[in-house]
């Protein structure tokens, strides 16, 4: 199978927007390797993300993300499922864009709550599992997410196949 894309595809967006689910499906469709940043950092550190936050703080974790993105720029044809905060650092966006395109996955606060409301692995949501809190957090990130994105795909009320087809179509259009 001929590769459709000769660069990495990085999925960004708020927690629960669908990055992990979409990256798995897209990876199979495009025959590309998948890197789940949070999983890889967790494995390397030998602890859950919430424990890294608790033990070392958010800044330490954000630095691990940046180092991993720099490392990933040596590869090609990789789908990178980024943690929700990756696009908040300009350096991260610059690293991804050296060898990739950024796809912003969006969902409404109500959809986010439905998807992650029962999870205890979201340190930034601790004590804030309601539509209003999620909406406020999303708003603080919106501008940087949108500025970083090469393309934007809304995930509400679409199945994973529809989302992946839209990503592929929009990337091919952008590459023309």
């Amino acid at each position: 199978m001929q590769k459709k894309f000769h660069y990495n595809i990085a999925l960004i967006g708020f927690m629960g927007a669908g990055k992990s689910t979409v990256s798995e499906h897209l990876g199979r469709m495009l025959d590309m390797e998948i890197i789940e940043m949070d999983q890889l950092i967790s494995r390397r550190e030998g602890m859950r993300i919430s424990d890294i936050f608790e033990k070392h703080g958010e800044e330490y974790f954000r630095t691990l993300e940046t180092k991993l993105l720099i490392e990933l720029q040596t590869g090609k044809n990789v789908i990178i499922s980024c943690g929700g905060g990756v696009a908040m650092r300009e350096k991260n966006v610059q690293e991804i864009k050296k060898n990739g395109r950024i796809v912003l996955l969006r969902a409404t606060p109500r959809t986010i709550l439905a998807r992650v409301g029962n999870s205890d692995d979201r340190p930034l949501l601790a004590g804030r599992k309601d539509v209003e809190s999620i909406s406020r957090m999303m708003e603080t990130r919106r501008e940087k997410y949108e500025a970083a994105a090469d393309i934007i795909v809304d995930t509400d009320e679409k199945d994973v196949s529809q989302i992946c087809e839209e990503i592929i179509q929009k990337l091919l259009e952008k590459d023309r």
Side-chain angles (χ1 to χ4, degrees):
M1 177 176 148
Q2 187 193 356
K3 297 284 185 195
K4 273 185 166 56
F5 304 104
H6 300 284
Y7 48 78
N8 296 333
I9 299 171
L11 303 179
I12 66 167
F14 199 73
M15 63 187 95
K19 299 180 298 290
S20 297
T21 304
V22 170
S23 67
E24 280 181 42
H25 197 81
L26 198 58
R28 282 194 304 273
M29 285 176 75
L30 297 173
D31 190 29
M32 291 172 74
E33 181 187 351
I34 303 157
I35 303 283
E36 185 76 50
M37 286 185 68
D38 284 355
Q39 279 181 9
L40 186 54
I41 290 170
S42 180
R43 194 167 54 245
R44 287 179 175 181
E45 291 293 303
M47 60 180 89
R48 295 178 347 186
I49 300 300
S50 53
D51 296 332
I52 296 170
F53 267 71
E54 195 175 305
K55 185 173 182 186
H56 300 290
E58 185 175 357
E59 191 58 31
Y60 175 83
F61 175 73
R62 298 299 175 203
T63 299
L64 292 175
E65 287 181 322
T66 301
K67 287 178 180 172
L68 178 54
L69 284 168
I70 291 167
E71 183 185 321
L72 291 175
Q73 293 321 303
T74 59
K76 279 193 175 21
N77 278 107
V78 176
I79 295 173
I80 305 166
S81 178
C82 298
V86 162
M88 297 300 97
R89 270 194 181 178
E90 187 60 36
K91 171 107 175 100
N92 293 347
V93 174
Q94 290 167 355
E95 286 302 323
I96 294 168
K97 290 202 179 215
K98 284 180 184 175
N99 184 26
R101 295 262 193 272
I102 297 178
V103 177
L104 169 59
L105 297 180
R106 286 193 306 206
T108 64
R110 192 167 304 287
T111 299
I112 300 288
L113 180 61
R115 290 177 182 168
V116 302
N118 295 325
S119 170
D120 292 327
D121 289 339
R122 312 282 181 162
L124 293 178
L125 273 188
R128 294 188 272 201
K129 290 184 183 172
D130 59 83
V131 171
E132 295 75 30
S133 296
I134 291 171
S135 183
R136 281 194 300 276
M137 277 192 282
M138 289 174 75
E139 189 53 35
T140 64
R141 294 180 172 196
R142 185 177 56 79
E143 196 175 314
K144 287 197 175 181
Y145 279 166
E146 291 175 1
D150 291 303
I151 66 167
I152 298 172
V153 175
D154 291 306
T155 64
D156 287 308
E157 299 173 31
K158 293 177 189 165
D159 68 34
V160 70
S161 295
Q162 291 171 307
I163 295 164
C164 291
E165 292 293 342
E166 188 174 336
I167 290 170
I168 292 167
Q169 181 187 346
K170 284 183 172 184
L171 286 173
L172 290 173
E173 285 170 12
K174 185 145 185 80
D175 291 345
R176 272 194 209 117

